[in-house]
Amino acid sequence: MKLYYHPISGHAHRAVLMLGLLGLDHELIEVDLASGAHKKPDFLALNPFGQVPVLQDGETVISDSNAILVYLSKKQGATNWLPEDPKGAANIQRWLSVAAGQIAFGPCAARLVTLFGAPFDPDEVIARAHAILGLMEAHLNTQNWLAADHPTIADVALYSYVARAPEGNVDLAGYGKVRDWLSRIEELPGFVPFMHAPAEMLASS
């Protein structure tokens, strides 16, 4: 398997983390986003949306980070990571929607402002980040993992941008349960750390 990725992309890290947790052999191919490689014809042939990550498994090509999590779990028959029962699968989907919604438009967007000068209102996206972090804190007050009594792809989908929320000026100090949850993920066998953004990118924000 080949994973086209970028090391400071949280979406890409989700896929890298899942490959590590499942112990799957793979090749990482870094896409030079700064030079626009993701908008070149050869990459667009893999993913017309021009985004990382993209997983290539033989003739199968999967784009979208959450879709990759689903694909890898299904391919490995890893029902511990992606339950087959209706309620379990629905619990997972609920949090995948959060990853694509509140996380993308909260901590992810706030980080894009500081790292790349994205045209979002910093106060608005930081407020959104704190709103979802507050909901996660309350949820994790009664259980250790988001969607089940064990880690699932729901936890993988939310980890990266929550872990690096401080790079978007979102303080995690008030979210003890969330920080405990991050630590539990980091202690899992096969965990792959998410690279911190280079200091010069944060210094220029």
Side-chain angles (χ1 to χ4, degrees):
M1 283 188 277
K2 297 179 180 179
L3 183 73
Y4 295 83
Y5 87 120
H6 192 278
I8 63 169
S9 162
H11 285 74
H13 181 256
R14 289 174 187 164
V16 174
L17 178 54
M18 194 75 243
L19 286 162
L21 293 170
L22 290 172
L24 297 174
D25 290 334
H26 60 281
E27 177 186 357
L28 291 177
I29 301 172
E30 184 172 339
V31 179
D32 188 354
L33 302 182
S35 71
H38 56 307
K39 302 300 183 182
K40 302 277 177 67
D42 56 344
F43 187 82
L44 292 174
L46 291 172
N47 180 11
F49 288 90
Q51 299 170 329
V52 293
V54 175
L55 181 75
Q56 190 170 22
D57 182 17
E59 295 184 358
T60 301
V61 177
I62 307 292
S63 57
D64 181 84
S65 57
N66 288 342
I68 290 171
L69 301 185
V70 171
Y71 176 82
L72 292 173
S73 299
K74 288 283 191 180
K75 181 178 173 66
Q76 295 304 112
T79 55
N80 55 323
W81 288 103
L82 180 56
E84 295 283 355
D85 67 285
K87 182 179 179 182
N91 286 342
I92 297 289
Q93 183 57 56
R94 178 196 184 202
W95 288 103
L96 294 184
S97 295
V98 170
Q102 290 98 318
I103 294 296
F105 295 101
C108 172
R111 185 169 175 266
L112 290 174
V113 172
T114 59
L115 268 58
F116 304 106
F120 302 121
D121 180 335
D123 292 338
E124 181 178 351
V125 293
I126 289 171
R128 288 179 188 165
H130 283 296
I132 186 56
L133 287 167
L135 289 171
M136 290 178 66
E137 180 76 6
H139 184 73
L140 291 165
N141 192 49
T142 59
Q143 59 190 78
N144 286 337
W145 305 100
L146 293 177
D149 59 2
H150 54 82
T152 67
I153 65 170
D155 302 287
V156 177
L158 270 68
Y159 170 82
S160 307
Y161 286 117
V162 172
R164 294 292 170 266
E167 294 181 350
N169 295 318
V170 177
D171 189 358
L172 295 178
Y175 306 102
K177 297 297 183 182
V178 170
R179 287 185 283 109
D180 289 345
W181 167 77
L182 292 173
S183 295
R184 283 191 288 275
I185 295 173
E186 291 160 5
E187 292 166 1
L188 292 172
F191 173 79
V192 181
F194 182 20
M195 179 181 133
H196 286 271
E200 61 269 20
M201 294 184 74
L202 297 172
S204 64
S205 62

